[in-house]
Amino acid sequence: MAHLALHKPGVVGVEPGRAAGDAGLRPAPTSDSGSPVATLLAQLRRMLGCDAAAVALKRIDGVSHVPFADGMSQAVSSAFEIPPRTGIADAAQAGGKPMWTSDYLADDRFVHSPRLDEAVRADGVRAVIAAPLLRDGAAIGVLYGVCRHSRRFTPAEVDLCTALARVAVVLLDHTMRLQRMHAERAELEGENGRLHVTLLRSRHLAEAHGRLTDMVLGGSDLSAVVNVAADALDGTLLVRDPGGAVLAATGAVPELEDISARAKWAGAHAARTAVPLADGVWAVPVTAGAEELGTVVLKNSGQLGEFDARFLWAVAQSVALILVLERDTAVVERPLRDELFEDLLSGSVSSPRHLAERALRIGIDPDGPHVVLVLRPEGGEQGKAIVWASSYAYRKGGLRSPRGEYISMLLPGSDPSAVARAVSRDLSSVLGHPVSVGAAGPGAGLASTARLHREALRCLKALIALDRVGSTASAEDLGFVGLLLSEERDVAAFIESALGPVLCYDSERRTELIRTLGVYFAADRSPTRAAEELHVHVNTVSRRLERIGRLLGPTWREPERTLEIQLALQLLRTQDTLRQGDAAPLGPGPARR
């Protein structure tokens, strides 16, 4: 006897390659009491007076399963399987004729399975009739009639069950054909849906490609084009130059500095196609003929489809066109740009109005904040550095001028230290050598360019003199050295940078940390002598020094910091003395003779 206690009657489904013959059957996810097989089972129960009825099908591995049943309890789960060559089903199929028993558990004619017997016992099954389901003389399963009381089946009932088994085979074949048709229809509908999605995607990317073309021909900059492309690809895009410096980006992309990623990156240029760099990260080369201009990197959340790959390649071509156009435009405008920068550096500028007109003509903002840098490549390759600086300055809306071993640059920005670090990082990546950069600014208006250039050059020379070749610095970064280098010495800013937290603490709490600090240094850093001078206990001085350390940071006792702190204290004392002198009343002037 096969799997009997399963579920309510339902539509069967095809499980390819599972049952003998065309296919196996499995319960459908939803029940359908109006199915032909369910109707047949209900008729069998009514005509034979059975408590339940079921159909069991044999799979190619000999295991029987029940795809649908009527009137059974839930004693056996739908995952229940009957091993081959066991139960009344095996006897009926082996002999090709119906078998019946008035008490299955007590009948020793059948090979009993402990698991099946347990299920039969739990469901209260006693009498069973099983007629084989024959297709072309081969048994594919069994039709069951089940009673929960002991009874005998008459020959007429056996003949009726056999006839219903023949009808069941026809209904099963019909059901399987219908299910195959439904499956094929579902597959076709799914394929149609996929084709529809693909068509919509291709149209979307084609429209985006058209927008990119219009933007490139209309003179849009690289950042705008990259943003449109990233939106069309539903991902993050960035463009790198041949040295790896980022030219434009719409977001963060995983670091790809490991050897294997760089090898794949190089493979993108060799293959002239998109290559995967990491999970969900793709690269496409940017080339103009045989010249390598950079790489477009895409990060998305899935695989790169055919149309997406083609569009990404088109994006790389658009980027190449923009870079070539920028370079050509820079070449055409170079005389005007070089002439303006030389005039600014020499201080021989024309009227403010004329200066603004010249700047605007070549895309320079005459009123915006700007910084001036002086670069020195430390590994030679001056020519390559000049070409890079020309392209970088053009993209950023700035200027550049080679001057001997140095390269001077004017760039928009309000933080000279940050701009210097960015330039040094990107150029060092291209050259493969460190780059020293002195910076000054920000300047309000182009007329301050000459002064800022002198300050930036002094900062660069100070870096070299201080044995900090390959680093960057502005006057602010150099501390008191920068104060000396700057033409516009901002003493207040220097004092604030050295002693700001302590001054603020004294002002808010009316403490004497600044006075304690001055006395401490005057006492040759001796807390004991400082305590005597301040007329306090030495522990008080120690606590004040601990508080100063928390305010100024753990490095405040290092030589360079202490030198800055002492200079700031001296400047602070000088300011106080001058203020006191200004406030003192003037005495009578000399008597007139």
Side-chain angles (χ1 to χ4, degrees), residues 505-561:
Y505 191 90
D506 274 355
S507 173
E508 292 177 352
R509 294 169 175 79
R510 299 182 180 277
T511 53
E512 294 188 331
L513 296 185
I514 286 292
R515 179 166 178 257
T516 301
L517 194 56
V519 172
Y520 170 71
F521 281 118
D524 199 21
R525 307 188 194 185
S526 169
T528 302
R529 291 169 55 191
E532 293 174 356
E533 177 69 21
L534 294 168
H535 304 292
V536 297
H537 194 275
V538 66
N539 290 342
T540 302
V541 174
S542 298
R543 286 194 298 271
R544 289 179 181 178
L545 292 176
E546 289 177 2
R547 171 67 63 183
I548 290 170
R550 286 194 291 271
L551 293 171
L552 296 182
T555 63
W556 77 279
R557 295 177 189 266
E558 294 181 0
E560 187 173 340
R561 286 289 304 279

Side-chain angles (χ1 to χ4, degrees), residues 470-527:
S471 59
T472 68
S474 64
E476 183 178 350
D477 298 326
L478 292 173
F480 73 92
V481 175
L483 181 67
L484 299 175
L485 295 175
S486 176
E487 292 185 10
E488 295 183 352
R489 297 179 176 89
D490 191 347
V491 174
F494 175 76
I495 294 174
E496 176 65 24
S497 67
L499 297 173
V502 181
L503 290 168
C504 182
Y505 191 90
D506 274 355
S507 173
E508 292 177 352
R509 294 169 175 79
R510 299 182 180 277
T511 53
E512 294 188 331
L513 296 185
I514 286 292
R515 179 166 178 257
T516 301
L517 194 56
V519 172
Y520 170 71
F521 281 118
D524 199 21
R525 307 188 194 185
S526 169

Side-chain angles (χ1 to χ4, degrees), residues 4-19:
L4 293 180
L6 287 180
H7 46 72
K8 295 179 181 179
V11 178
V12 295
V14 177
E15 187 176 9
R18 296 291 286 173

Side-chain angles (χ1 to χ4, degrees), residues 194-423:
R194 288 189 292 271
L195 289 174
H196 181 65
V197 171
T198 301
L199 179 60
L200 291 178
R201 183 63 176 167
S202 66
R203 288 178 177 173
H204 171 68
L205 294 177
E207 292 173 357
H209 189 192
R211 288 199 301 273
L212 286 185
T213 302
D214 292 341
M215 292 176 70
V216 171
L217 297 178
S220 295
D221 62 16
L222 185 60
S223 296
V225 169
V226 168
N227 275 299
V228 170
D231 183 62
L233 287 167
D234 300 321
T236 301
L237 267 182
L238 82 160
V239 179
R240 296 177 182 262
D241 67 13
V246 176
L247 304 180
T250 63
V253 170
E255 288 295 327
L256 303 169
E257 302 304 324
D258 58 282
I259 295 175
S260 60
R262 284 194 171 275
K264 291 178 181 177
W265 192 342
H269 289 279
R272 294 292 189 268
T273 186
V275 298
L277 299 185
D279 223 8
V281 181
W282 305 80
V284 174
V286 179
T287 57
E291 183 182 2
E292 177 186 331
L293 300 177
T295 308
V296 174
V297 181
L298 167 69
K299 178 181 180 294
N300 63 9
S301 57
Q303 291 297 316
L304 194 66
E306 178 186 356
F307 291 103
D308 295 78
R310 291 180 183 177
F311 180 75
L312 185 57
W313 182 259
V315 171
Q317 292 175 318
S318 297
V319 169
L321 183 57
I322 290 175
L323 295 179
V324 170
L325 289 174
E326 283 183 352
R327 185 173 60 189
D328 292 346
T329 304
V331 170
V332 172
E333 293 181 352
R334 184 172 299 165
L336 297 176
R337 304 174 75 86
D338 291 349
E339 181 182 352
L340 174 62
F341 201 18
E342 289 301 324
D343 288 348
L344 291 173
L345 292 176
S346 64
S348 57
V349 295
S350 52
S351 67
R353 178 179 177 182
H354 187 213
L355 176 62
E357 290 175 352
R358 293 174 65 189
L360 290 172
R361 193 178 304 129
I362 57 176
I364 305 297
D365 183 2
D367 301 318
H370 60 272
V371 301
V372 175
L373 310 179
V374 180
L375 295 66
R376 190 179 82 165
E378 302 300 340
E381 300 188 76
Q382 187 80 353
K384 189 174 183 179
I386 292 173
V387 171
W388 179 90
S390 299
S391 176
Y392 188 88
Y394 181 83
R395 288 198 310 272
K396 298 296 185 179
L399 301 169
R400 74 95 182 95
S401 175
R403 308 179 74 81
E405 63 176 326
Y406 306 122
I407 300 173
S408 301
M409 298 183 72
L410 181 142
L411 297 170
S414 56
D415 186 343
S417 300
V419 175
R421 287 192 297 270
V423 167

